[in-house]
Amino acid sequence: MRAAVEQSALPIGTAGADEARRDRVELLNQLDDYVLPRLRSLDAPLLCVVGGSTGAGKSTLVSSIVGEVVSRAGVLRPTTRASVLIHHPQDARWFADNRILPGLARLTGGVGAEEDPGQLRLVASDHIPAGLALLDAPDIDSVVEANRDLARQLLSAADLWLFVTTAVRYADAVPWSLLQQATERGTSVAVVLNRVPVDAMEEVRADLAQMLMDQGLGQSPIFAVLESRLDEHGLLPYTEVSRMRSWLTSLAADAHARSTVIRRTLTGAIDSLSGRASTLADATQEQADAADGLGSTVAVAYQHAHDEVAEGMSDGSLLRGEVLARWQEFVGTGEWFRQLDAGVGKLRDKVSAILRGRGQGVPTAELGEALHTGVAALIASHGEAAALAVARQWRTRPGGAELLAADPGLAGVSTDFDSRVQRLVREWQGEVLELVRSEAGGRRTTARFLAFGVNGIAVMLMLITFSATAGLTGAEVGIAGGSAVVAQRLLEAIFGDQAVRSLSAKARRRLLDHVDDLYAHERRRYDDALRGLSVDPDSADRLRAAVNAVKDAR
């Protein structure tokens, strides 16, 4: 389960992501700081974590229980910085290494000035019984966030939580939210009601007892400490802590009682893992769904771009405007086509005369350039539309806006997109020339072939590739004033019906393949960004499997 929790990254800002991230950290901390260490060492000393609100007197109480100053107290807040763990000298081996709280650096010796929440100061004292360790934690409501987070982490590492509050602050919301968490996780709790005025003792204690009962902690011991003057060492009178000290000492001395507390807390912690890990599994599933949604948006946008290009290649839209004008320059008017139809025997002289009069190379080049421009514009416009559609959708989806902010280039096409489009069309036109040369074979010396040449025939093949009538015979009405029909009839006269069908299909397929490669290159930018999120689609399943395994082991 620990491995599954660690692998459950939550990088996408879904609705409950922030809370799920905090829960994940707390779950990892409890596994690392308490559950796994305690399972490995059931006979280790009982760890009692002393926690509570700011100014509750925790450090003074701990030092008073021990009988010597072991934790710094004062009026400045926050007082407690490094956490202080007090243990009997013969128990040092249980705490010197990283068995518990592995994320905290170890310090030894007396109170220091340069301490921080990332440290754990170990204090060995003969005044504390073997089998018991006290840990003075930072304030649960500290103004320093790092202290608050550490306090919660330490409480999750406790076999026993000694909750310290005062007559003034015992009803505060923050500690009771943690007491609720202790109830849910089965943590053993004892309560210290500190600084109680003599005349308010019975009333405050009774009210606190009722609140604990309502919270499900009615069996928790309550120790009341009267408001007292501290001695010259800053310690409470012995009479005020003697009952508490005796209870802790007897707990340490009684192996069965100590084991009961440890096992109760451990059992509660393990029982709570299933629900918490299941909640985390739901959150990781939301992450996977969000990532899938972002990826689906990309796939849909570029599939639509592909479909639009395919439609634009067949609906005749490319055979209008400049292309139509250049085509008419290339073959002339409908009168020329009627002459062509009148007799094949006169074809060579008529065609040659027409092309000599106009200059064969120029019309071919201009028509090819017009086709190049039109095809490039078709491909580029739909590629740009796909990028804009992705950006528009991502801005409304969890995680998408963050990815766009991290890489603003994802809001449009790649920087070299236009040059790639131009190169694509040039390469495709070259492939069409090769198709014509390959198909020509022995026809290169025929009057029909010589009349137009390889370039002219290739241009006509490109032309019919962009017509819905490409490769068909009969009396279909051509696109853009019949230009595609004219080109088709000319090519059929040279290659035959079946060859024209095959050539136009190959040319069309090759162009679409190039377009698919281009759009796939564009898509990879988004795919790479999504992979960078490190969302594991199997994370939720691993967590649920771990939950089931823990349940089965119980």
Side-chain angles (χ1 to χ4, degrees), residues 247-529:
W247 179 72
L248 290 171
T249 300
S250 64
L251 189 60
D254 187 338
H256 177 71
R258 188 172 67 248
S259 176
T260 298
V261 171
I262 290 172
R263 289 183 178 276
R264 181 169 62 241
T265 299
L266 179 59
T267 298
I270 293 175
D271 287 345
S272 76
L273 294 178
S274 296
R276 295 159 67 195
S278 295
T279 300
L280 182 60
D282 293 340
T284 59
Q285 186 62 59
E286 289 180 6
Q287 296 278 309
D289 292 344
D292 286 345
L294 293 172
S296 177
T297 295
V298 177
V300 168
Y302 280 95
Q303 181 60 50
H304 181 70
H306 165 94
D307 294 343
E308 289 295 302
V309 170
E311 176 67 19
M313 289 170 56
S314 61
D315 65 5
S317 59
L318 284 172
L319 307 184
R320 300 184 176 94
E322 184 70 13
V323 172
L324 178 59
R326 296 296 169 245
W327 168 247
Q328 290 172 341
E329 289 179 5
F330 181 66
V331 297
T333 63
E335 178 63 25
W336 183 90
F337 187 71
R338 285 193 294 273
Q339 291 176 352
L340 175 64
D341 234 4
V344 175
K346 300 178 181 179
L347 177 64
R348 174 177 237 167
D349 293 338
K350 290 182 179 290
V351 172
S352 297
I354 292 170
L355 293 179
R356 278 197 302 272
R358 297 191 178 96
Q360 183 177 354
V362 174
T364 301
E366 291 179 347
L367 178 56
E369 186 61 31
L371 282 167
H372 177 112
T373 300
V375 174
L378 175 71
I379 297 170
S381 64
H382 290 299
E384 291 166 357
L388 293 174
V390 170
R392 185 170 57 253
Q393 289 292 318
W394 275 23
R395 289 189 182 98
T396 66
R397 291 176 174 268
E402 292 84 351
L403 289 174
L404 291 172
D407 184 359
L410 294 176
V413 295
S414 58
T415 54
D416 64 342
F417 180 72
D418 288 338
S419 62
R420 289 175 63 85
V421 170
Q422 297 298 324
R423 184 164 63 252
L424 179 159
V425 179
R426 285 195 299 272
E427 290 176 357
W428 175 72
Q429 288 182 320
E431 291 175 359
V432 173
L433 281 172
E434 290 303 315
L435 283 175
V436 170
R437 290 191 183 100
S438 175
E439 185 66 30
R443 301 185 184 91
R444 295 191 180 192
T445 59
T446 64
R448 298 179 181 88
F449 194 91
L450 291 174
F452 294 99
V454 173
N455 289 344
I457 293 172
V459 168
M460 284 189 285
L461 179 56
M462 296 174 203
L463 197 74
I464 67 169
T465 300
F466 304 126
S467 168
T469 62
L472 301 178
T473 58
E476 294 87 358
V477 177
I479 304 297
S483 57
V485 173
V486 173
Q488 185 172 316
R489 293 291 297 277
L490 288 171
L491 290 183
E492 288 173 354
I494 298 172
F495 296 115
D497 298 353
Q498 184 57 44
V500 171
R501 293 191 189 94
S502 177
L503 286 170
S504 61
K506 288 178 181 178
R508 179 182 174 82
R509 182 66 263 161
R510 290 191 182 185
L511 180 55
L512 282 175
D513 287 344
H514 285 306
V515 171
D516 287 343
D517 290 342
L518 174 70
Y519 289 169
H521 179 272
E522 291 294 293
R523 279 189 58 178
R524 277 194 291 273
R525 300 179 303 139
Y526 302 99
D527 295 339
D528 291 344

Side-chain angles (χ1 to χ4, degrees), residues 176-192:
W176 283 97
S177 68
L178 288 177
L179 284 169
Q180 174 64 37
Q181 186 180 91
T183 303
E184 294 170 351
R185 298 181 185 179
T187 304
S188 299
V189 177
V191 180
V192 178

